[in-house]
Amino acid sequence: MTRWLTEAVPRGRVAAFRTVIYLFVAADLVIFTPWVRTRVSVPGDLYQPLLIGRLLHLPTPTAAVVAVIFWSLLVLALLAATGRAPRLLGWTVCALYLEWMIIAMSYGKVDHDRFGLLVALAVLPTAGRARHGDTTRTEAGGWALRVTQIAVICTYFLAAFAKLRFGGLDWLTGSVLARAIIRRGTELADLIAQVPYLLIVAQFGIVAFELLSPVVFFLPPRWRLAMVGFFYSFHAVTIATITISFAPHLAAMTSFLPLERVRPIVWARRLAGRPAPRPVTGAVDDQAEPGTESDPASVSLGDQAPVVGRPAGP
């Protein structure tokens, strides 16, 4: 179990995932949750902090508090996306974003699509330094990705559990999707709703998919990526039909992907006719000093699969 939790991955994957997560945090502030800043105009007696807010005795948000969190988090998230000071910036961004979410969710509605993102922010600082393109494998980075993956799958599985716990079997045979389409459906959803019993079949399919989501951990790498692709397609259909976005969840789900293969800077250099920098290579090395590189001629990857080709690890 410990070996599975800490299965080594290329540092380049950790670096790319970190960039994705912190850039999403910055985008979230200005695209998906800018409405949090309007909470200061709501009477303070309507603020009912979540349990963690009560345990930490967090104050009722004011205009000054929210403004400081917003601008500090925006700047620090962009800095953290560069990979500099991963622990200092990482823990700071995690704390500020947690408070941002406590403010957002303390007025009667809690979104479950933030769980994977919050876990990613909590574990990324433990991964240490990582550079884009570095093929040196790291168990600390593998653990950070694996824990995020578990949080992503728990989001699906526990969502199905909640449906059956509070809605019972009536959730499967009721008019859940029909009501969603009436409230916020698109023209595509209207066409789907005209097919007899299709919405009932879809509700059975949603619960089955969520309950079976842990299967992704038992699949070979190629089939695992195919199943993750199905997860993304499910959310694409959700957005196209009932306009519900799970953007934070989708960002956290990139922990399943071989992100080290996505090298936009290298591609831009090639288009410009400039040679790309040679990648750093080496074996698993979580004890190396920051900035040092392992010698590929003097170490081996043992039973780890090579980075080139099918990826090993989470």
Side-chain angles (χ1 to χ4, degrees), residues 181-203:
I181 291 174
I182 292 173
R183 289 177 55 213
R184 52 192 305 166
T186 63
E187 293 183 0
L188 175 61
D190 292 337
L191 293 175
I192 294 175
Q194 296 176 19
V195 180
Y197 301 107
L198 182 57
L199 296 183
I200 300 297
V201 172
Q203 288 168 186

Side-chain angles (χ1 to χ4, degrees), residues 223-313:
W223 286 102
R224 184 185 308 142
L225 289 177
M227 189 168 183
V228 172
F230 169 76
F231 293 165
Y232 277 105
S233 66
F234 166 78
H235 290 288
V237 172
T238 301
I239 295 173
T241 53
I242 54 178
T243 61
I244 295 179
S245 170
F246 283 79
H249 178 79
L250 300 183
M253 196 157 60
T254 60
S255 58
F256 282 99
L257 304 179
L259 295 176
E260 71 276 13
R261 300 181 183 181
V262 182
R263 304 292 305 282
I265 296 178
V266 173
W267 298 341
R269 290 173 65 96
R270 288 175 180 172
L271 289 175
R274 300 172 60 187
R278 296 180 59 184
V280 180
T281 59
V284 178
D285 182 12
D286 279 327
Q287 304 301 322
E289 293 296 325
T292 61
E293 301 172 3
S294 301
D295 182 5
S298 61
V299 295
S300 65
L301 292 177
D303 61 354
Q304 295 288 339
V307 176
V308 179
R310 181 182 297 178

Side-chain angles (χ1 to χ4, degrees), residues 71-89:
W71 290 109
S72 299
L73 187 53
L74 182 61
V75 173
L76 293 177
L78 292 175
L79 289 175
T82 66
R84 298 182 182 277
R87 291 181 176 85
L88 175 61
L89 290 176

Side-chain angles (χ1 to χ4, degrees), residues 2-301:
T2 301
R3 183 178 180 181
W4 178 76
L5 282 172
T6 60
E7 191 171 2
V9 299
R11 290 183 185 274
R13 186 179 305 181
V14 177
F17 180 65
R18 179 164 51 205
T19 298
V20 168
I21 292 300
Y22 291 133
L23 286 181
F24 177 82
V25 168
D28 185 46
L29 295 173
V30 297
I31 298 176
F32 300 106
T33 60
W35 48 266
V36 176
R37 302 178 70 182
T38 66
R39 289 292 185 257
V40 297
S41 61
V42 177
D45 56 353
L46 296 180
Y47 175 71
Q48 300 294 325
L50 303 175
L51 176 59
I52 186 174
R54 298 195 299 271
L55 292 176
L56 296 176
H57 302 286
L58 297 176
T60 300
T62 63
V65 169
V66 172
V68 168
I69 294 175
F70 176 85
W71 290 109
S72 299
L73 187 53
L74 182 61
V75 173
L76 293 177
L78 292 175
L79 289 175
T82 66
R84 298 182 182 277
R87 291 181 176 85
L88 175 61
L89 290 176
W91 290 123
T92 305
V93 170
C94 178
L96 289 173
Y97 190 77
L98 177 61
E99 170 62 1
W100 185 256
M101 285 294 98
I102 291 173
I103 295 173
M105 307 301 167
S106 293
Y107 291 87
K109 179 177 180 291
V110 179
D111 296 331
H112 68 288
D113 63 342
R114 305 270 162 179
F115 179 58
L117 178 65
L118 286 168
V119 170
L121 290 174
V123 297
L124 270 175
T126 69
R129 294 185 179 274
R131 298 193 322 182
H132 290 271
D134 190 346
T135 58
T136 304
R137 294 183 177 275
T138 165
E139 292 183 349
W143 180 82
L145 291 180
R146 184 70 79 195
V147 172
T148 304
Q149 293 170 2
I150 293 173
V152 167
I153 298 304
C154 282
T155 301
Y156 287 131
F157 187 82
L158 295 178
F161 178 77
K163 291 180 177 69
L164 297 177
R165 177 187 177 188
F166 297 105
L169 295 179
D170 289 340
W171 197 98
L172 300 171
T173 59
S175 57
V176 177
L177 290 182
R179 290 198 301 269
I181 291 174
I182 292 173
R183 289 177 55 213
R184 52 192 305 166
T186 63
E187 293 183 0
L188 175 61
D190 292 337
L191 293 175
I192 294 175
Q194 296 176 19
V195 180
Y197 301 107
L198 182 57
L199 296 183
I200 300 297
V201 172
Q203 288 168 186
F204 274 90
I206 290 171
V207 172
F209 142 66
E210 291 176 336
L211 289 175
L212 293 174
S213 58
V215 172
V216 71
F217 291 121
F218 302 96
L219 297 177
R222 183 170 297 178
W223 286 102
R224 184 185 308 142
L225 289 177
M227 189 168 183
V228 172
F230 169 76
F231 293 165
Y232 277 105
S233 66
F234 166 78
H235 290 288
V237 172
T238 301
I239 295 173
T241 53
I242 54 178
T243 61
I244 295 179
S245 170
F246 283 79
H249 178 79
L250 300 183
M253 196 157 60
T254 60
S255 58
F256 282 99
L257 304 179
L259 295 176
E260 71 276 13
R261 300 181 183 181
V262 182
R263 304 292 305 282
I265 296 178
V266 173
W267 298 341
R269 290 173 65 96
R270 288 175 180 172
L271 289 175
R274 300 172 60 187
R278 296 180 59 184
V280 180
T281 59
V284 178
D285 182 12
D286 279 327
Q287 304 301 322
E289 293 296 325
T292 61
E293 301 172 3
S294 301
D295 182 5
S298 61
V299 295
S300 65
L301 292 177

